[in-house]
Amino acid sequence: MNYRTVKDSMGELQVPEAALWGAQTQRAIDNFPVSGQPMPEAFIRALLLAKAAAAKANVQLGMLEKPIGDAIVDAVNTLLGDAELMNHFPVDVFQTGSGTSSNMNANEVVATLATRSLGQDVSPNDHVNCGQSSNDIIPSSIHISAAMQISDTLIPALDHLQQAIRDKAAEVDGFVKTGRTHLMDAMPVRMSQSLGGWAEQIRSCRKNLDHQLTQLLRLAQGGTAVGTGINAHPEFSELFSHELSKLTGLPFQPGPDLFALISSQDTAVQTSGALKTLAVALMKIANDLRWMNSGPLAGLGEIELEALQPGSSIMPGKVNPVIPEATAMAAAQIIGNDATITIGGQSGNFELNVMLPVISANLLNSVQLAANTSRLLADKAVSSFKVNEDKLQEALAKNPILVTALNPIVGYMKAAEIAKQAYKEKRPVLDVADEQTDLGREELERLLDPAKLTHGGI
């Protein structure tokens, strides 16, 4: 490999000849061979958009000459359209806590391309980073990337999942199944009622994320090093948000207190909390599907999930609930990411949080996992499962818990006696109640009709 010599304030070093980055990026590559995991592409794209918005704002404010500003914007557009974009951004997630290395990586790459197109020197620090500090551009990029990912991918995925559940609920409304509490037989429910509960969980999670999205739209940009705005034009923050909004289609605005947005990552922690709540909901739905699908002979066998792949390397014919399992694992990862983000959020020391890169990486990973698994769950599990009506009816007919409906008439103790006898003799509760009460067969059939019992009341 051929190398070229580059220089920064600490001296000279060698950089690969073809690399667009400069000295500070190379130092980060050399200093942080930690995970081999670069910052997420969504974060890099957000950072580049922020560089373009900053250049546009600084030109309007007279802080940059127009040709230089235009060259910066053109360089950003070139990078955003590059299929090999991430080859230019190799800095490890586990780097300096402010994300300065990633900021300078972007500054250097953009400056190289801008210099080539303009034919005169464009400085990474004085031009591309004009009016900015790593301490405000990285927190802003965390918000920008998370807001874009939630708005563009996660919320549509949740809407899709919620609609798929509601459509399936309408389809299976006529099926009544044994309800279960503590994994034990309970009063009957319509299958649509169970699914309706899932849909409400997803609706509530989406509402939480809608709220967090409004918080993510408030940016630290303009606070520069510590929140005071040193070296930035007084109008830069407002104009930056305006230009960024035009680039992204999202209504970004300056945060109400730039000191808070630089020194803490409370919004990221809150957003992660909303994602964790979603993960819990997804895991609940996934596990319900797994349980209902269990069997087919020795389990509940209430539904049959779509067969997607062979389930065993040794047991022929076995098919597993792979989509619910994948969803549950993704949910577990989101919950783990939340723990990392929570610890990261605690690392706001005085005027700066120093775990910004790992907060961003985990937050974006959670958004991606939640969006992808929501669509898979909708399309390859919820929408496509089939109901085993014979299995439902078999369990309902023998469910002694139906006797609960007789409590107001015969009393709890008598009802318990009927239930215990039905359990012991493995007989339908209707037959035992007919022997133990004088209500009459027709009245008992009315009172113990599983479908009617799903409506509640006396």
Side-chain angles (χ1 to χ4, degrees), residues 233-315:
H233 191 284
E235 298 175 22
F236 176 73
S237 182
E238 190 74 42
L239 194 52
F240 170 88
S241 292
H242 177 71
E243 291 297 334
L244 183 65
S245 297
K246 290 196 292 184
L247 291 173
T248 62
L250 293 175
F252 290 104
Q253 58 185 298
D257 189 301
L258 303 186
F259 294 95
L261 289 170
I262 291 175
S263 65
S264 75
Q265 280 296 304
D266 291 352
T267 298
V269 173
Q270 292 164 2
T271 303
S272 180
L275 290 166
K276 180 179 71 173
T277 303
L278 172 59
V280 170
L282 291 173
M283 187 174 284
K284 195 272 186 198
I285 295 168
N287 284 330
D288 280 358
L289 286 165
R290 289 174 61 239
W291 275 106
M292 288 193 294
N293 180 75
S294 61
L297 299 179
L300 299 181
E302 295 177 341
I303 66 170
E304 181 182 342
L305 290 169
E306 179 183 356
L308 296 172
Q309 64 186 60
S312 173
S313 61
I314 190 172
M315 293 176 281

Side-chain angles (χ1 to χ4, degrees), residues 26 96 98 104 114 128 143 158 165 168 227 330 370 397 401:
Q26 190 61 48
T96 175
S98 63
M104 285 309 303
V128 184
H143 278 216
L158 292 182
I165 295 172
K168 194 67 175 184
I401 300 300

Side-chain angles (χ1 to χ4, degrees), residues 185-202:
D185 298 344
M187 292 300 292
V189 294
R190 296 196 310 280
M191 190 168 281
S192 60
Q193 291 171 323
S194 293
L195 270 65
W198 300 349
E200 176 57 25
Q201 284 184 274
I202 299 303

Side-chain angles (χ1 to χ4, degrees), residues 37 49 75 135 160 167 204 208 225 293 399 411 414-415 434:
Q37 175 189 350
L49 286 169
N135 298 354
H160 179 68
D167 288 346
S204 179
N208 290 341
N293 180 75
N399 183 7
K414 183 62 177 179
D434 193 19

Side-chain angles (χ1 to χ4, degrees), residues 329-352:
M329 286 190 285
Q333 183 63 63
I334 293 169
I335 293 167
N337 289 347
D338 180 68
T340 298
I341 292 167
T342 300
I343 294 170
Q346 295 174 356
S347 296
N349 307 130
F350 297 110
E351 276 65 60
L352 181 67

Side-chain angles (χ1 to χ4, degrees), residues 132-143:
Q132 307 149 57
S133 164
S134 299
N135 298 354
D136 63 355
I137 197 76
I138 297 299
S140 292
S141 296
I142 292 174
H143 278 216

Side-chain angles (χ1 to χ4, degrees), residues 404-412 414 437-439 443-444 446-447 458:
T404 302
L406 302 183
N407 283 357
I409 302 170
V410 303
Y412 179 90
K414 183 62 177 179
T437 71
D438 57 3
L439 291 173
E443 177 67 2
L444 285 170
R446 184 186 69 80
L447 291 170
I458 297 176

